[in-house]
Amino acid sequence: MTVTRPARITAAGWGWRYGGRRAPAVRDVSFTIEPGERVLLLGASGAGKSTLLAGMAGLLGGADEGDESGALLIDGERAEAHRGRVGLVLQDPDSGVVLSKVGDDVAFGCENLGVPAHEIPGRVAEALDAVGLEVPLSRPTKALSGGQKQRLALAGVLAMRPGVLLLDEPTANLDPEGVREVRASVERALDETGATLVVIEHRTSVWADLMDRVLVVGADGGLLADGPPAEVFARHGAELAAAGVWVPGQPVDLPVLAEASADAPAAVAASALSISRDRRTIVRAGLDLRVPRGAATIVTGPNGTGKSTLALTLAGLLPEAAGEVVAAPELAGRSGRRPSRWTSRELLTRIGTVFQEPEHQFLASTVRDELAIGPRSRGVDPAAVGAIVDELLERLHLAPLAAANPFTLSGGQKRRLSVATVLADAPPVIVLDEPTFGQDRRGWIELVQLLQSEIAAGTTVVAVTHDEDVLRHLGGHGIDLGAPLAAGVAS
């Protein structure tokens, strides 16, 4: 596969402040990435990594979108002049899917660049081969797994033959096999193309051996470190870990909670349960499981096995396709013990849910108001509402962002806010879908500590996760959906 000439990326005192925000998202960053270099871009959550990547891709807009300082150039010119040479793959696999069929989706970028029609089929075939996505061109994109969708997004970018490949947390929300698939696809593509690579990823151990260089962005501006991976991690490991960077070989110092007692009463239980998003397509069937009260229940399994659908069903947000979900007697609402029949107010005070996509639960224009919505709706005294909000802002390091719009936060900050909005209502049962995704080391530790303290206070926690450390540190009880369809496995 031939590509556009690999590009040089130069930042000279570059910074960006989004319109409406007081503080810059990035400030005073300087570096030169040589053509063909492979760079791992690290930094604490909120340090501006995604903003820097968007700047490299020429996607930040003009003066009406924000204020720029310094210079960020591709081969000596503004990034906007090289959009066709710079390919960006976002962390959410679904965000990269545009059209309904695999072949059409891969061809989409080429068509927008005005590539001659007779060249496009060859480019599509080369790109799919480079990422190892061996499916028919007519395969519906909605039928692909998360790992396949991420490879599809990568193929769509490679078909454009970019000189720069930018990946923003490409393995977020993927199961271990999906992580391996995407990592192998990127390596294979680089061997084919020689493109310049910049990757943002909290899973440093997955990517370190592929990289020539590590750049660490400081939360207060500039770079904390710059050099070969082994050298950076050896020389600055303790400092980087303290700043929130996941450093290979640096374990977290947290207690490991005990397994739930086999005879612990159930907060929620399901029998002969079938689950579905649309009540037509059954995702899983024949599930018999229980959620022990006052402990963590961790739901695991590969992408596409129904973990999120199960979580939403246990939380009462999706009706059972068959069978039933029943809550403990003390949680019963006016409509009985089945959460799917409760009113929204009954759910608010009984089972709180943190969605996989944080934006799906944001309603207010500021972080402070977002945290106050639940307590206010329950008629909590205004002074008490303020105390609840202030405590959560401090505990989750969101206080400096209290006046910010929730939709302008970084991915990790959005996740912490989404967890905090549920904790503000203090429900006895909390259901969380991938609670630690996109978190730096410090944010991860704080979230897990927060969940451990909730469990110690008697809260029942259900967490869907691919994160083996979450499973280990929260202890409790496991539900494995790795078994074939129609066979529920409860451990």
Side-chain angles (χ1 to χ4, degrees), residues 371 387-399 416 420 423 442-443 445-454:
L371 290 173
I388 291 170
V389 170
D390 286 341
E391 179 188 3
L392 288 169
L393 286 172
E394 290 297 331
R395 290 182 73 182
L396 293 174
H397 294 277
L398 294 170
R416 296 203 300 277
L423 295 179
R442 185 169 55 186
I445 290 173
E446 288 162 352
L447 275 178
V448 173
Q449 283 179 323
L450 190 60
L451 294 177
Q452 288 182 334
S453 66
E454 288 292 321

Side-chain angles (χ1 to χ4, degrees), residues 258-284:
E259 292 186 9
S261 172
D263 57 359
V268 179
S271 57
L273 177 65
S274 295
I275 57 176
S276 172
R277 293 276 181 159
D278 57 11
R279 306 205 74 175
R280 295 188 301 274
T281 305
I282 302 301
V283 179
R284 305 286 298 188

Side-chain angles (χ1 to χ4, degrees), residues 213-367:
R213 182 177 175 192
V214 170
L215 291 176
V216 185
V217 182
D220 297 323
L223 296 178
L224 292 181
D226 178 4
E231 178 183 315
V232 167
F233 293 137
R235 179 177 299 178
H236 303 283
E239 176 189 0
L240 296 178
V245 175
W246 285 104
V247 177
Q250 290 262 3
V252 295
D253 184 18
L254 283 179
V256 176
L257 300 188
E259 292 186 9
S261 172
D263 57 359
V268 179
S271 57
L273 177 65
S274 295
I275 57 176
S276 172
R277 293 276 181 159
D278 57 11
R279 306 205 74 175
R280 295 188 301 274
T281 305
I282 302 301
V283 179
R284 305 286 298 188
L287 293 168
D288 296 301
L289 52 90
R290 55 192 297 280
V291 175
R293 185 191 308 163
T297 293
I298 309 299
V299 183
T300 59
N303 289 111
T305 52
K307 299 184 300 299
S308 295
T309 304
L310 174 61
L312 293 173
T313 305
L314 293 176
L317 298 177
L318 286 177
E320 305 93 329
E324 64 177 8
V325 173
V326 177
E330 64 269 21
L331 295 178
R334 292 183 179 180
S335 304
R337 293 172 56 190
R338 293 180 66 174
S340 61
R341 296 179 178 176
W342 293 347
T343 66
S344 57
R345 182 172 292 274
E346 287 174 326
L347 278 173
L348 182 69
T349 57
R350 290 167 172 80
I351 303 179
T353 304
V354 176
F355 299 113
Q356 188 174 90
E357 297 84 6
E359 296 90 342
H360 289 184
Q361 62 196 91
F362 294 158
L363 301 171
S365 59
T366 71
V367 169

Side-chain angles (χ1 to χ4, degrees), residues 126-135 148 151 155 181 184-185 188-189:
E126 286 181 349
L128 288 171
D129 182 64
V131 302
L133 184 57
E134 299 176 356
V135 298
Q148 288 174 322
R151 283 187 285 177
E181 288 177 353
S185 296
R188 186 162 48 243

